[in-house]
Amino acid sequence: MLERIERALVACNRWLLIVLLLAMACIVFANVVLRYTTGDSIVWAEEVARHMMIWVTFLGSGLVLRFGGHVAIDNLHRAVSTRSARFLRAVVVLGIAGFCVFMTYFSVLYVWATRFQTTAATDIPISYIYLAMPVGFVLMLVHLLFVARNYITAGDYAQSDEMNADAAASI
C-alpha cells in the first residue's frame, strides 16, 4: 500500500512539473514571438513565467533529493567503517528533515504575512506564489522519508528506469 502511494506521489509530482514547464515554455515562446513580430508583448507573460519557475523549483526539489541530484559531499561516509557511515548518513537525514520542518514552519509564516499583497500585472495574491515554499519543503520531507531507510543503511538513493541523479539534477 505504501509503495503504491509512493509511486503515485512520484508520478503526480513528475507530471505536474512537466505541465508547468511546458506551460511556462509556451508562454515565454509566445511572448518572444509576439514581441519580435508585432512589437508588443503579453503584459503578464514575464510575471507568470517567473511564478511558474518558482513553483517548478520548489516542487522539483523533492524529486531531485529522492534520486540524489542535489550537490553532496560523500567522501567522509565512504571512507569510514560501515557503522560510522550509517551514523553519519543518519545525522545527514535528521539534519535535512529538521531543515525541511524549520523551513516549512517559517515559510508558512511568510505566506501568511504576504496574504494581502498582490502581483503587479495579474493582481493575484503573492501568497499563492509563496505557497510554493511550504508545499515544496513538505514534499521534500516526504520524499526524504521514503528514501531515508535505504540511504542510511546502504548509502543509495531511489532507483528509477526513467530517472537518475544526473537527470534529477537537470529538472
Side-chain angles (χ1 to χ4, degrees):
M1 175 70 176
L2 194 59
E3 189 174 306
R4 195 178 314 152
I5 293 171
E6 182 180 4
R7 277 196 315 262
L9 173 72
V10 170
C12 288
N13 201 173
R14 281 184 187 170
W15 279 106
L16 186 57
L17 287 172
I18 290 167
V19 168
L20 280 172
L21 281 170
L22 180 64
M24 186 176 61
C26 289
I27 289 169
V28 170
F29 179 76
N31 195 36
V32 169
V33 168
L34 283 173
R35 187 179 315 125
Y36 286 107
T37 57
T38 66
D40 291 326
S41 62
I42 305 170
V43 176
W44 50 265
E46 187 267 332
E47 184 178 283
V48 170
R50 185 179 338 115
H51 299 159
M52 289 175 134
M53 181 60 74
I54 292 168
W55 272 94
V56 165
T57 300
F58 282 100
L59 292 178
S61 64
L63 278 179
V64 173
L65 175 74
R66 164 185 209 79
F67 295 111
H70 285 290
V71 174
I73 301 170
D74 58 359
N75 294 352
L76 182 59
H77 78 90
R78 296 197 189 281
V80 296
S81 68
T82 304
R83 185 174 178 174
S84 298
R86 286 183 181 156
F87 174 75
L88 287 172
R89 289 190 295 261
V91 169
V92 167
V93 167
L94 287 174
I96 293 171
F99 177 77
C100 288
V101 169
F102 177 85
M103 290 304 294
T104 300
Y105 175 74
F106 282 101
S107 61
V108 165
L109 293 179
Y110 193 71
V111 168
W112 183 254
T114 61
R115 69 190 182 278
F116 298 119
Q117 297 174 2
T118 59
T119 60
T122 56
D123 202 37
I124 61 171
I126 288 181
S127 59
Y128 290 179
I129 292 102
Y130 291 154
L131 188 62
M133 292 185 298
V135 170
F137 284 116
V138 167
L139 267 175
M140 195 183 307
L141 181 62
V142 169
H143 283 293
L144 175 69
L145 294 176
F146 278 125
V147 300
R149 182 175 181 202
N150 194 33
Y151 175 72
I152 291 170
T153 58
D156 294 330
Y157 296 97
Q159 301 297 318
S160 172
D161 295 335
E162 301 93 25
M163 188 75 65
N164 60 22
D166 294 332
S170 67
I171 288 180

